[in-house]
Amino acid sequence: MAKRRERAPRQADVARLAGVSQSAVSKVIAGGAEAARIPEATRRKVLEAVRELGYVANPSARSLRNKRNMLLGVHTFEPVFPHARESFFFEFLLGIEERAEELGYDLVLFTSTGASDGRRRVYRNGVNRLNLADGSVLLGAVTDKGDLARLAGEGYPFVHIGRREVPGAEFPCVVPDYRGVTGEIVDMLADQGHRHLAYLRATFGLEPYEDRRRGYAEAVARLGLQDRSPGARGESGLTTEWIEELISGPETAVVAESLPLADLLAAELRIRGLRIPRDLSVVVLEDLAPEVTTPWVALQIPRVQIGRTAIDVLVDVLEDPDGVAESTVVPCSVVPGATVAPAPR
Amino acid sequence: MAKRRERAPRQADVARLAGVSQSAVSKVIAGGAEAARIPEATRRKVLEAVRELGYVANPSARSLRNKRNMLLGVHTFEPVFPHARESFFFEFLLGIEERAEELGYDLVLFTSTGASDGRRRVYRNGVNRLNLADGSVLLGAVTDKGDLARLAGEGYPFVHIGRREVPGAEFPCVVPDYRGVTGEIVDMLADQGHRHLAYLRATFGLEPYEDRRRGYAEAVARLGLQDRSPGARGESGLTTEWIEELISGPETAVVAESLPLADLLAAELRIRGLRIPRDLSVVVLEDLAPEVTTPWVALQIPRVQIGRTAIDVLVDVLEDPDGVAESTVVPCSVVPGATVAPAPR
DNA sequence: TACGGTAGCTCATACGTAGTAGCACTGGGT
DNA sequence: ACCCAGTGCTACTACGTATGAGCTACCGTA
């Protein structure tokens, strides 16, 4: 920059040139109802002065005066960009950016909260940087529940992508409709003639799996199907005994909570000379990464849509801070594959 | 959010709780020289109150008062995320995020400047949104030179990724060292025994190509090589006559400015039964997308490093607004490939 | 005792904008 | 002559922060 930044013209300068007061300038510039009360001649004088001086509103002063910055924050508990391509979380940002742009908000990426241990926290030195934005979208696998509780306690407006239950703290989450899509998957299996199902349950107990389990149980009950598998009773993992039981039993379709479980099952079946889907139909209740080559029938999380919805929910919260903090559920779709076939007779 | 967001705490609130004045709080928070004059006991009281209230400085007020927000802007003339994976520009952001995080800055993604025509401009309704950030990194293929000129004219601190020359406006750019790496490439060809080179020149005249041409011409002169090709004389494109000339001439290596030119050349050679690199070595002076499968010897742009450097340069500008606005050159590397072989005897 | 010096604060103000209260003036009605 | 309503503005203030000027107590010195 060759020359130093000279002081930008302000409304007062415009006012002097136009021979009116600063507040008159403010009113003309604001447009709207107030400006209607100002006669055409004055308005023209002011606008002429604005043009002549090249006046631009100072956004800091503006947002100091109003309480809105038109800034939405994005806090990711892990760095976004560095692993963005591979990251599960990346696509959410597509939707977030899209929708924020449509609504005229800018985005603040909270990157400065990184600690030396590589973990990101909302609070650094006890200071909540997020306050800088009108509200924030939070996401990440290793969400710090203490941070969430404190944020909610302070009344800071935020939305979490993915379900998180924090006792004593209420805040809106935007979550994939695992329950609904699991029901659809069971419907589809029933349509194909499957009456006896088995459920493979993951060993870890993250919250979203509860939704799948509920959706599964409901659909099985609703359709009057049979499931006497250990997974449906609440036992996790996959043992040799279960597989033997499965093979000798009436089950024709398996619903697996996670990809590793499905892969394990596939391997065991292969050893025994059984084939998917000829001998057994298998569905995976996960969104599979593109590099997975097995053509599993699986579910697909509408990440972009979730990002967009998160922004909508956040803006709703900003506009009505007293509204209820409910979770918003976004429908998932089923990815067609080659691991499901009509039930053998 | 259960309770309505109470007014964000300000320094006055902290002051009341700590039993001091607002300015004392300001001084403690500012740290530095002023804070040194404040005894440990008071400082502790204040910081305690800050923690208890969860106070965080209001960036608008701060930047109204002085001009540092600890916010750096990123303005992309095209949306980043939507095409991020494929985008040439995406990796720059990795470096930008990394370096901003290291330096304790947050990033503002200026997404809201999108016009209805899909193009992004810095100015919307004549207002420079970027003012919100202390300074900005700009990038994009369709950089609007008018915007750049106006920004520079206003003295707004910014850095452009990629070389842009705007008459009458001086601002720092961070650019790949096309000139240097082109020289290296010619060195490498010379090492392999090539004495007679040809240069394929692209038809469009974007600025970065000038760097390559200069680097090429310098290296050829320095090493005493021969180049009597039309491209070296300034003629663009690739005609049948040139190819005939090339085949019958002494040239053993070709330097192509762009991938399409190299592809075209390869096709023409193939028709004539000639092979790369057996009959002719070929180098491409471009950073190739991952989906390009031909194993061209090409150059590689250190995008992450450029992003990091852009932040460093920007912060330098902020710290010394009167400093000179020079372009910073970041070294490129040569990607090994299978299109160069030692010169035939 | 008077007085300078300094540590440790407080006071007051400016930054640029938006909105509210209110003033000066006009014209019409009674 | 007086009031009232309306028009077209201006005066003033708050928003939250940083900072220079200034105030007060106290200590050391003469």
Side-chain angles (χ1 to χ4, degrees), chain A residues 10-11 23 27 55 62 65:
Chain A
R10 32 184 182 165
Q11 290 186 353
S23 28
K27 279 164 189 147
Y55 165 83
R62 242 184 203 172
R65 181 64 234 267

Side-chain angles (χ1 to χ4, degrees), chain B residues 249-269:
Chain B
E251 287 80 6
T252 56
V254 173
V255 175
E257 260 180 10
S258 76
L259 179 61
L261 276 176
D263 280 337
L264 189 57
L265 175 64
E268 295 283 352
L269 291 177

Side-chain angles (χ1 to χ4, degrees), chain B residues 286-328:
Chain B
E286 254 188 340
D287 188 308
L288 304 181
E291 59 266 24
V292 173
T293 51
T294 314
W296 295 111
V297 172
L299 58 82
Q300 189 165 32
I301 297 172
R303 297 204 185 88
V304 173
Q305 183 54 48
I306 286 177
R308 296 179 59 94
T309 302
I311 292 294
D312 283 327
V313 170
L314 181 57
V315 170
D316 283 351
V317 170
L318 293 179
E319 276 164 10
D320 174 20
D322 297 319
V324 275
E326 285 193 326
S327 281
T328 305

Side-chain angles (χ1 to χ4, degrees), chain A residues 197-216:
Chain A
L197 309 186
Y199 191 85
L200 282 185
R201 191 178 165 112
T203 48
F204 35 90
L206 294 177
E207 280 132 347
Y209 286 97
E210 292 306 327
D211 289 340
R212 294 168 166 89
R213 289 163 194 170
R214 185 156 13 138
Y216 180 80

Side-chain angles (χ1 to χ4, degrees), chain B residues 72-279:
Chain B
L72 299 182
V74 179
H75 178 87
T76 62
F77 285 87
E78 299 95 20
V80 177
F81 288 149
H83 308 104
R85 280 166 219 261
E86 315 85 50
S87 168
F88 179 83
F89 294 101
F90 176 70
E91 280 203 352
F92 293 120
L93 292 179
L94 306 193
I96 289 174
E97 192 200 21
E98 265 181 32
R99 190 64 184 138
E101 172 164 356
E102 288 169 16
L103 296 178
Y105 282 90
D106 285 318
L107 251 29
V108 186
L109 248 42
F110 287 104
T111 61
S112 73
T113 45
S116 50
D117 62 359
R119 286 204 54 193
R120 290 188 171 194
R121 302 287 306 269
V122 170
Y123 295 89
R124 188 172 53 168
N125 308 330
V127 173
N128 166 14
R129 292 272 309 161
L130 301 194
N131 264 328
L132 202 144
D134 298 337
S136 292
V137 176
L138 309 200
L139 42 72
V142 294
T143 304
D144 186 299
K145 289 201 175 183
D147 281 357
L148 293 185
R150 190 165 162 191
L151 269 182
E154 284 179 9
Y156 182 82
F158 72 97
V159 173
H160 194 278
I161 288 187
R163 188 188 300 289
R164 289 296 180 282
E165 312 279 4
V166 180
E170 271 184 55
F171 51 85
C173 294
V174 179
V175 297
D177 185 11
Y178 291 122
R179 182 175 163 193
V181 74
T182 303
E184 279 176 40
I185 283 174
V186 174
D187 281 342
M188 178 202 68
L189 291 173
D191 279 352
Q192 303 248 28
H194 298 276
R195 317 307 307 171
H196 294 265
L197 311 185
Y199 191 85
L200 282 184
R201 192 176 165 113
T203 49
F204 35 89
L206 294 177
E207 280 131 347
Y209 286 98
E210 292 305 327
D211 289 341
R212 294 167 165 90
R213 289 163 193 169
R214 185 157 12 139
Y216 179 78
E218 285 170 358
V220 165
R222 171 165 46 81
L223 299 168
L225 307 180
Q226 302 291 320
D227 184 343
R228 48 185 200 86
S229 70
R233 290 194 307 268
E235 292 171 40
S236 308
L238 180 64
T239 67
T240 310
E241 293 79 52
W242 296 5
I243 293 185
E244 300 298 346
E245 203 181 315
L246 191 58
I247 292 173
S248 57
E251 287 80 6
T252 56
V254 173
V255 175
E257 260 180 10
S258 76
L259 179 61
L261 276 176
D263 280 337
L264 189 57
L265 175 64
E268 295 283 352
L269 291 177
R270 205 177 308 118
I271 289 171
R272 291 169 172 77
L274 296 175
R275 291 226 303 266
I276 297 173
R278 192 196 59 187
D279 303 304

